[in-house]
Every structure is written in structure tokens, then in C-alpha cells.
Amino acid sequence: MRYAETGFNLEIDLSRGNIERVENDPAETELYLGGLGTNAKIMWDRVPPEIDAFSPDNLLIFSAGLLCGTPAVGCNRTIVTTISPQTGLLAFSMMGGFWAPELKYAGYDKVILRGKSPDPVYLYIHNDKVEIRDASHLRGKGSNETADILRREVKDSNAQVAAIGMAGENRVFFASIEQGRSSASRAGIGAVMGDKGLKAIVVRGTRDINVARPAEYMQLCNEVLQYIKKREDNPIPGVMPILAGLGSPQEMKIHDEKWHTENFMWGNSRVRRKDFWTEDIAKEWTRTLETARTRLISCYNCPMKCGGTISIPGLPTYLMKCFSKLTYTMAAFSNLDFGLKIAQRATEYGVDGFSAPQVMAFALELYENGILTDGDMPELPSDNEGRFYYLLDKIVRREGIGDVLANGTYWAAKEIGKGAEEYAHNNIKKIEQLPLKLSMLNPIYFLMYCTGEKINITQIEGQFPQMPFPAREQREEFVKDWIQVPDDRFKQYLLDWEPRGENSMPFYPTVPMCCDIVDWQEKMHYIDDALGMCAGLSSFPLKPPYHIHNYPKFISSGAGIDMDEAKLSRAAKRYRTLVRAINIRRGMRREDERPPENHWKKRFPELEKELLDTYYRFKGWNEQGIPTRESLEELSLDYVGEDFEKRGVLAGNGDSPAPGAPAGEAKE
Amino acid sequence: MGEKKKKIIKTIRVDVDKCNGCRACEVICSAFHAEPKYSSNNPARSRVRVIRHPLRDIYVPVYAGEYTPAECMGRDRYTIDGKEYEECAFCRAACPSRDVFKEPDSGLPLKCDMCESDPDLESPMCVQWCLNDALVYETREEELEEDPAARQQEVEVGLEALANKYGLQKVMDAVARMSKKDG
């Protein structure tokens, strides 16, 4: 009997219309856990580097995490994995919501899609009944609209729907997969879904999920619930409100946006507005949100309320979470009312809320500087808000200049030329980043920006405070109940960390300490992505309820796999290394691993080199960031080493070229 | 005056405005009632169900009540604060008109037992797992008065209705036959 997992995957060939239910191997679960871990193994085995994002042989995997569908609070992530059209590398965005548990209850751990359907289809999964159905009536429909139509069509309001909008259908490189209150947004996985002709996956399940040692497991779940309650009642003092509690940053709840609006950049990640947040604006924005937001909402089995129901008179209702609240507002130099309104349309179209506004702000900057002209933007409205709607509509339809912009700032700049590349200034590994421009190098963040392979800072940071506490007493207070640290040495790092003087940034934490801190933070994200746990209850916030000490117990008593901290850390390192191996095999090298040039004003090239050299060694990678033969063997990844050898990756220069053209271009 | 009896009324106070739609109540209910306890979970077996329509902002936790073999002759729709609630949204019955409150394999009806167990729980599990206080457990004691005269009156009201509908003769015949059987 399999515990926590179902033991079965669905293999769907969209070219041939073939559907198979295939038993998966419990030995793989033990090595790679599940979710991202086993997805990475499948991608390594079945998608060689010659396959690009829009090849029919690219896989699109929807996976529930190992513990999804058990009573583990907040464990509801769907990990979607494929090759990104934007980066040519592995994309592994995830989404919360209700989809992954429903897939488990239907009896499957993963849905693995390959091939392409010539006509638009949707996949319907209801326990043993799995069908590929015609979706021609859904062409061009919004993501929420699609979900609504499909729930009626299958006559089941409990069916969970993951769908793409027009952006995915038209293979916009930053198209998302939307699922009501959640979305898997980064790196263009919605474009891959659209390329495969798949409009939506509808899932409904009414089967049991078993756990191995029920009483023990339930005890752990109850402890987590109690801890959440305690943390909610006792926010962490001395940090800004959005970092004091649990969950994603509570953007739907909190009205005070002084910190974001005055510290994050406006427009094309250019302008800092230091005195923006006035009393009048606070009042106006509070009124806007209070009027539009009808309820705070959650993902499956989670008491946190990170999402909001947004109903604006005259517009269809939609569900929002987190920072997309401000990305459109700030990119367009507008107000919250505009931000909430355009986000409604953007959600229906299905675009990433980080990339889309930046692409549009980038286009307008090019226009203001004469690089794009009236010829490129016929009938461009005169107001900023109007221009954003105009560009959004063009991009998702790939009309005119929209066809170029739909590839993201990196590829668009290359195609436009005339110096446009200077304006695509906020990318890492070809993906638009949060609009932050800061003064002095932060060594911890430097490493995370460089090496994060989800290529999004929020998906690697967490656990360790972002800034030192000014007073020693505050630090002492903070470490008192800091049970989450893997080892007490982390407490010492924090105790000695000063805002000024010898023990301050960028030289303190020291290079080895930075490696240690980054490795811990990243490890927790990777564990979450395999188990299906929300980062908001684990890897992202300070002092979360899930941590390296209770996770092994969850896995042992839940999935029935003997686990301890060392074995769990090793498993996480194994599939983390495999993710890197996939990207290395696809051409990623050290030169790709750097933050935007202008991210910090004060840079320290020697220190940065030392940080990266040391971190690579710490991780078991060579000076190019390639996992060494020995470190691969230590993790039982001998097969990766053999493949590297065969391809000449480890022999020195490595022969896989970095992708030089956007996916699919050669074939179009 | 009749005899007085005391009765404990167990209530789950449901505040739909506080519901965040997470369905933790369904998870823990089905886990608690699994055999052996907590060995599995499956919201389709839960005795509480959140009727959810997120895009219409509708979230109604409903508890399984009595089984009924027949569906209602008429079905109503309620509009509250501008939101239309579908027919049956507030109904507790396991009934032929819908799938809720039935075991998914056997189709047998489910019924909320307030997590009755020995020793008694502090409150039903769904309440314990609802940190947003959409579900709050309350008990109160009620005194029930047994009044023989009132009961006799109820019988008469009932018989009168039957007599109006079928005629007094038919009712008398039926009563006569019943008393023969009993005798």
C-alpha cells in the first residue's frame, strides 16, 4: 500500500490522443520525494537538451506534492514543470489553490503531458474516467470564464480547473496557468500549455488518501495548527508588518503600502518615489481596496488568508493574491484603482503579474525614447493607463508590436535593436525580476539572485532576517524561540550581525556564513516544492510552523518512508543538483548567474567573485557552476556524471550551446 | 403541569461571513471518521461540506442531517445581500437530488454526529480546525416540559386536518382498524 501518494501517474499523449495510467516507482519517491523532485527526474530522463520548449517532445508535468491531500495544513501546491520558452531552462512554477489535492483524491500523483493536439482540447479527470475533450468553444476565453463554463459543462461545482487564457493560447512567453485564486506564472509555462493545444485540465476526485501512522501524523498536524495560531497572535516585533506574520506577504489584508511604494521602483524599474505615501494616498487606496475586496480567502486546508475576492462594479469578479496588487499600479505610475482593474483583465488573459507590467513599462520607455515609434504603436492612447490596456491587448493577441513584446523584455530588446537592450535592464537569466534597485551589495541576496534556479527572489529567500536588528537585545529576543534553525550556529550569525561597523554588510556575514545561510534558505524551498507545501507556511516567512526538524517526521509518519534530517537534506540536495544538471546540460554557466548590473549601486567585484567561488565549492560545483563528478556520485547521481562526460560538459568548455534564439523561432 | 426534562442542545454556530473557503473542516471531518481513526481522509466522505462558488463569493458550510428518500417537490432559491444561493444550499439532507452527504462508494447516507466519542471531545473537530471562527461550538441546556394536555391537543389538530381532507368517516374507519390490529 502507498501512503500519502497514490502511486499512479497519468501519461497523456496529446498528439495521438492516448491516455495511460502508469504506476510510479516507490524507490524514486524515496530518492526524490515527489513534486519537483520526481518531476526533475522525469525531465532529466525524458527531455534531452535538444528538445526546446515548443517541441512536441517537451513534457508539461502537473504534479501534486508528496503530502498534498493529507491533512498537513497548507499542503496544496501543484508543481508544474516544463522547459521554459523564455529561458530555455527548466521552469518549475507552482500554484496553490485546490487543484493538487483534488488530483490526489482522483487517484493520481502527476499528469504528464506530451505531444500537441492539433485542435484545442481540455482534459477531464474524474477518478477512473479520463477524457480528452474538444475545447474549440473555449478558444479566446478568459481563464476564470473557462473554469466557470467547464464546471457547468461537467455539472460539478467541486471540480477544480487549471486553465490558460488568451496569452497561453498565443504562446506569450510570460503566460500563466490560472486556477481561481492561484496561478503558476513564471517562465512561460502557460505558453507551453497553449502550444500543446491544451486549454484546461478539469479534475474531480472522491477517493481516500492514506497516511502510514495516523495518530502520529495527526499529532504533528495539530502541533502545526497550534503553532500557526500562536504566531498569528504574536507577530514578530521589529520587522515590517508584511514580514511579521505567516503566509505570503499579506497584501490583500494590509493597507499600509509605504514600504513597497517608496522602496520598490516605479515604471520600467527606474524611479524611486521616496515621499510617495502621503495621508491622502493612504486614505484613497484604503478606500479602493475596502470597496473592491469582498472577502479574504485561502487555499485548500489553510487558515491563512493570503488571497482576496475582488469585485469592482462593472467588471467580473476575480481572485487576487500577493504583490500583483501593486505591480501594474507601479509600472504605470498610476493608482491602486487602476492596478486592481487591469489585473482583472490580465488574470483572464493569464499573464505573469511580475513580467507583464514590466514588459509594458519597457515598451513605453522605448517609445518615449524614440526607439519604438508611432509606426510601431498605431493609435496609442495618450494616457498611461490607456497605454497599458492597449499594450496588454496587443501582447496577448501577438498583434503588431505585441508579437515582439510577447517574448519578454530580453528577446524583444534583441529583436527591436537600436539600443533597446539597455532598457531590458532588470533581468536575470532572461526573466524580469522584482523592480528593486538598492544602494549597497547584500552578500546573501547576491548569492540568491545569482544561483536561484527558479529565477525569482521570493522563491529562494526566507527564514533568515533580511536586515540585522539594530539592538543586541532585539537579536537575543529573536533567537530565544528560533527553533527552526538547523543548527545553533545560525543564531550566532544573527547575534553578531550589526547594521554598522565591523560586523556589517557586505563583509559580514562572512563568505562561509553567507553560503551556509543561502543553502539553508534554498533547501527549505526545495523541500516545500517536493512535498507540495506552501512557502508561506514554511520556507518564506520568519519562524514558520514547518521546518527541518518536523519535516522528517511528517514524511515518516505520512508517507511511511523512514526519514531523518540528514536523509531529507540529502534528498533535497539530490534533486536540487538534478535541477542544476538539467540547466547545465542546456547551456547554463557561470556567466548567466548574476544579478542585474544596476541592482546595487555599490558593488564589490572581488567579494562577489569570492562569494560565488566559495558557494559553488560549498555546493559541490566547479568554477563554472557545474556539479562535479564526485559530488554527483555522492548523491547517487552517477548517471548525470556519465551523461556530462558523454556530452563533454565536464571536460572543460562544455559543448551545449546556450540557447541563442527564442523557443520555436527556427521552426516558425 | 407536566414533568420537566433537561436536554443539552449542541450547536455549531456558522458565520458564513468569516468562512475563508479553505475546507479544513471537510479534511478533518473525513479523517476523524476514517476507520481506523485518521488513517485516511477524503472530503467526499465529510459530514460537513462547504458549498463554494468563489467567483460569486458564496461559502456556506453545511452539516449532514437526516437522510430523506424523496426529493422536495419544489426547490427554492434565496437571494441574500444580492447573492443568489442555489436551491438546496442550506439543506442538511442526504437526498436523491444530489451527491453530497453520501459515501462515494456505497452511496449510503452520512450524518454529522458532532464527533461523538468517548471521552467527549472539547468540541467537534471541524470547529477545532477552523481558526477563522466561521464555525463556533456552543452548548446550552434546555428544559423541556412534558404537558399531556398539550399533546392531546396536537393529536386532535392532526385528526381534524385528516377529517377535513378525507372526511370524518374515513378517519374513524382507519382508527377502528388500527385499534383492532393493536388489540
Side-chain angles (χ1 to χ4, degrees):
Chain A
M1 183 160 178
R2 303 282 283 268
Y3 297 104
E5 55 184 348
T6 65
F8 291 93
N9 296 339
L10 277 176
E11 291 272 359
I12 314 282
D13 185 334
L14 290 162
S15 299
R16 295 166 53 227
N18 192 50
I19 297 169
E20 276 175 79
R21 177 174 175 264
V22 180
E23 190 166 3
N24 55 42
D25 182 357
E28 300 259 295
T29 310
E30 191 151 355
L31 284 170
Y32 305 95
L33 302 182
L36 171 62
T38 37
N39 280 7
K41 179 65 165 59
I42 294 167
M43 292 298 290
W44 172 271
D45 287 345
R46 291 168 54 181
V47 186
E50 300 75 35
I51 303 300
D52 80 8
F54 295 148
S55 157
D57 294 329
N58 184 16
L59 299 182
L60 177 65
I61 309 174
F62 285 72
S63 180
L66 177 61
L67 299 181
C68 289
T70 73
V73 178
C75 196
N76 49 44
R77 262 29 186 188
T78 306
I79 298 93
V80 188
T81 309
T82 189
I83 298 301
S84 159
Q86 200 175 10
T87 64
L89 305 174
L90 193 74
F92 47 106
S93 300
M94 14 154 250
M95 54 188 173
F98 296 78
W99 200 91
E102 201 68 39
L103 182 70
K104 283 285 198 66
Y105 297 128
Y108 311 100
D109 299 321
K110 293 183 200 293
V111 181
I112 303 167
L113 300 135
R114 63 180 187 278
K116 290 188 194 196
S117 168
D119 301 305
V121 292
Y122 76 90
L123 185 66
Y124 178 54
I125 303 168
H126 182 189
N127 297 333
D128 283 341
K129 180 169 158 183
V130 183
E131 293 171 358
I132 298 170
R133 294 182 171 183
D134 175 49
S136 47
H137 58 304
L138 301 169
R139 213 192 297 253
K141 293 269 190 266
S143 62
N144 280 328
E145 217 181 343
T146 298
D148 207 40
I149 293 169
L150 288 177
R151 283 204 187 91
R152 282 173 218 264
E153 200 163 304
V154 305
K155 294 191 182 71
D156 196 337
S157 62
N158 285 314
Q160 301 300 334
V161 183
I164 54 170
M166 206 187 283
E169 288 178 46
N170 291 327
R171 309 199 305 180
V172 172
F173 282 14
F174 42 93
S176 59
I177 299 170
E178 299 282 331
Q179 185 227 140
R181 70 160 303 296
S182 304
S183 62
S185 292
R186 300 291 277 162
I189 53 177
V192 175
M193 187 156 162
D195 181 63
K196 296 201 170 301
L198 185 66
K199 179 70 180 173
I201 306 183
V202 183
V203 60
R204 175 74 177 122
T206 59
R207 302 251 169 86
D208 300 347
I209 290 296
N210 301 294
V211 293
R213 301 199 291 275
E216 196 182 327
Y217 196 74
M218 195 49 60
Q219 170 75 21
L220 291 163
C221 293
N222 278 317
E223 282 168 16
V224 160
L225 210 56
Q226 288 316 308
Y227 190 84
I228 291 173
K229 212 172 156 166
K230 192 178 122 193
R231 276 287 275 104
E232 283 299 280
D233 295 341
N234 300 283
I236 292 173
V239 299
M240 63 188 107
I242 56 163
L243 296 177
L246 296 171
S248 330
Q250 298 292 294
E251 285 297 302
M252 294 297 104
K253 193 156 75 185
I254 287 174
H255 291 298
D256 183 354
E257 290 292 0
K258 183 178 169 64
W259 186 73
H260 278 132
T261 55
E262 295 189 352
N263 287 290
F264 282 52
M265 297 290 147
W266 294 66
N268 183 27
S269 193
R270 294 281 192 197
V271 180
R272 185 159 171 202
R273 299 168 86 179
K274 271 186 180 163
D275 300 309
F276 174 79
W277 192 254
T278 61
E279 210 170 292
D280 284 348
I281 287 174
K283 261 191 211 150
E284 181 202 321
W285 288 29
T286 301
R287 196 171 52 237
T288 300
L289 188 60
E290 289 285 343
T291 313
R293 186 197 63 202
T294 54
R295 187 185 297 263
L296 291 168
I297 52 170
S298 303
C299 294
Y300 186 71
N301 190 21
C302 179
M304 304 306 300
K305 293 180 285 190
C306 310
T309 306
I310 306 290
S311 288
I312 298 167
L315 291 179
T317 297
Y318 72 106
L319 313 170
M320 178 183 253
K321 74 271 165 191
C322 217
F323 195 51
S324 45
K325 174 185 171 189
L326 294 187
T327 52
Y328 293 95
T329 296
M330 291 178 68
F333 289 100
S334 189
N335 56 26
L336 184 58
D337 183 61
F338 164 76
L340 295 182
K341 281 178 179 160
I342 196 171
Q344 186 277 325
R345 196 183 292 187
T347 304
E348 290 288 5
Y349 285 152
V351 287
D352 174 30
F354 279 16
S355 283
Q358 268 188 61
V359 171
M360 297 190 278
F362 155 84
L364 290 177
E365 217 181 51
L366 292 180
Y367 178 76
E368 280 151 23
N369 288 282
I371 295 172
L372 288 178
T373 62
D374 287 326
D376 299 308
M377 316 258 230
E379 291 167 63
L380 183 72
S382 57
D383 62 311
N384 239 11
E385 285 85 1
R387 288 173 170 185
F388 263 67
Y389 281 111
Y390 169 97
L391 285 169
L392 182 60
D393 287 350
K394 293 258 182 247
I395 287 168
V396 300
R397 291 180 174 80
R398 280 191 175 273
E399 263 171 26
I401 193 68
D403 190 31
V404 178
L405 296 172
N407 292 346
T409 56
Y410 175 86
W411 296 112
K414 265 191 181 305
E415 195 172 338
I416 293 165
K418 296 184 243 171
E421 277 159 307
E422 293 290 308
Y423 297 80
H425 67 103
N426 198 37
N427 297 332
I428 300 176
K429 293 167 187 157
K430 307 184 178 73
I431 299 190
E432 295 77 16
Q433 300 298 310
L434 267 179
L436 270 167
K437 300 293 160 198
L438 304 165
S439 57
M440 198 186 55
L441 178 88
N442 175 326
I444 302 171
Y445 272 75
F446 172 81
L447 282 180
M448 293 194 294
Y449 277 118
C450 286
T451 61
E453 263 156 286
K454 224 187 229 172
I455 322 181
N456 201 71
I457 194 66
T458 59
Q459 300 299 320
I460 182 169
E461 67 182 342
Q463 309 282 340
F464 202 82
Q466 294 189 6
M467 302 298 271
F469 293 100
R472 177 125 197 141
E473 301 80 73
Q474 283 177 297
R475 291 172 231 151
E476 276 164 2
E477 192 58 34
F478 184 87
V479 302
K480 248 185 215 163
D481 59 353
W482 202 10
I483 53 167
Q484 291 80 2
V485 289
D487 185 282
D488 275 350
R489 66 178 184 272
F490 290 90
K491 293 185 181 174
Q492 201 57 48
Y493 301 164
L494 187 80
L495 284 171
D496 297 339
W497 193 18
E498 308 264 1
R500 265 163 224 91
E502 235 174 72
N503 274 1
S504 72
M505 290 194 286
F507 297 105
Y508 190 96
T510 64
V511 171
M513 287 176 196
C514 287
C515 294
D516 215 8
I517 292 166
V518 171
D519 184 64
W520 170 35
Q521 300 193 94
E522 182 182 75
K523 178 166 77 180
M524 298 320 295
H525 279 279
Y526 272 82
I527 294 174
D528 289 346
D529 287 2
L531 303 185
M533 186 58 67
C534 169
L537 289 180
S538 176
S539 47
F540 185 75
L542 299 166
K543 299 186 180 173
Y546 292 99
H547 42 77
I548 192 65
H549 309 301
N550 62 3
Y551 261 154
K553 297 178 198 164
F554 268 95
I555 298 169
S556 304
S557 62
I561 299 167
D562 277 337
M563 195 56 70
D564 56 35
E565 286 176 30
K567 192 175 166 190
L568 177 57
S569 295
R570 221 169 99 81
K573 190 172 181 189
R574 180 177 297 118
Y575 59 81
R576 193 269 169 268
T577 306
L578 195 53
V579 166
R580 170 142 296 235
I582 291 168
N583 287 335
I584 288 292
R585 199 165 72 160
R586 303 188 78 84
M588 190 188 77
R589 292 292 182 275
R590 183 181 181 126
E591 62 173 337
D592 300 303
E593 305 222 271
R594 47 182 184 185
E597 289 305 322
N598 57 4
H599 188 80
W600 291 287
K601 260 201 206 97
K602 275 187 234 158
R603 298 286 292 263
F604 297 79
E606 275 172 38
L607 173 63
E608 290 174 20
K609 182 180 182 305
E610 192 194 338
L611 277 162
L612 207 52
D613 283 342
T614 314
Y615 188 66
Y616 277 179
R617 272 199 305 277
F618 179 95
K619 290 288 224 186
W621 307 338
N622 72 13
E623 74 290 346
Q624 275 301 317
I626 304 170
T628 62
R629 194 84 199 231
E630 303 83 75
S631 68
L632 290 168
E633 279 163 14
E634 251 170 55
L635 295 166
S636 323
L637 294 174
D638 304 47
Y639 60 90
V640 173
E642 281 155 30
D643 187 81
F644 277 1
E645 192 116 310
K646 219 163 50 196
R647 294 175 185 272
V649 172
L650 274 169
N653 47 6
D655 66 350
S656 349
E665 188 157 84
K667 294 186 192 87
E668 295 303 313
Chain B
M1 288 300 287
E3 187 188 346
K4 281 188 180 174
K5 278 189 175 171
K6 282 187 179 172
K7 192 177 169 192
I8 302 284
I9 308 288
K10 297 178 178 176
T11 304
I12 294 170
R13 190 181 277 277
V14 181
D15 186 341
V16 297
D17 291 337
K18 285 187 180 158
C19 180
N20 58 336
C22 77
R23 302 170 63 195
C25 50
E26 299 180 13
V27 175
I28 194 61
C29 173
S30 63
F32 179 81
H33 290 97
E35 204 52 62
K37 196 182 272 186
Y38 301 128
S39 60
S40 69
N41 91 96
N42 177 358
R45 292 187 201 282
S46 171
R47 294 132 194 248
V48 54
R49 300 299 290 276
V50 184
I51 308 287
R52 296 170 81 248
H53 294 281
L55 291 174
R56 286 158 49 204
D57 195 39
I58 286 176
Y59 300 87
V60 188
V62 182
Y63 287 88
E66 291 299 330
Y67 163 74
T68 172
E71 43 192 280
C72 298
M73 293 301 285
R75 299 196 200 158
D76 307 320
R77 284 173 186 274
Y78 288 86
T79 301
I80 304 172
D81 282 341
K83 286 185 272 184
E84 189 178 277
Y85 291 81
E86 64 185 17
E87 44 197 29
C88 318
F90 303 99
C91 179
R92 294 170 56 117
C95 111
S97 78
R98 60 179 185 182
D99 285 337
V100 284
F101 303 144
K102 288 172 198 161
E103 286 283 359
D105 339 297
S106 62
L108 289 171
L110 295 160
K111 188 180 165 189
C112 169
D113 59 0
M114 300 295 254
C115 294
E116 207 158 77
S117 56
D118 192 18
D120 268 348
L121 300 183
E122 193 184 306
S123 60
M125 291 306 292
C126 56
V127 173
Q128 292 187 33
W129 272 49
C130 183
L131 299 195
N132 288 296
D133 293 337
L135 309 175
V136 173
Y137 181 62
E138 283 173 2
T139 56
R140 62 176 192 275
E141 217 175 59
E142 268 186 9
E143 280 190 348
L144 289 182
E145 207 167 290
E146 295 271 312
D147 180 353
R151 289 183 70 91
Q152 185 60 36
Q153 206 177 359
E154 272 172 37
V155 172
E156 278 167 30
V157 169
L159 281 176
E160 202 177 315
L162 287 173
N164 286 342
K165 188 169 179 185
Y166 300 104
L168 187 59
Q169 192 55 49
K170 286 236 160 78
V171 175
M172 283 166 61
D173 291 349
V175 172
R177 261 200 305 279
M178 280 161 73
S179 37
K180 242 186 222 163
K181 238 188 253 166
D182 285 353

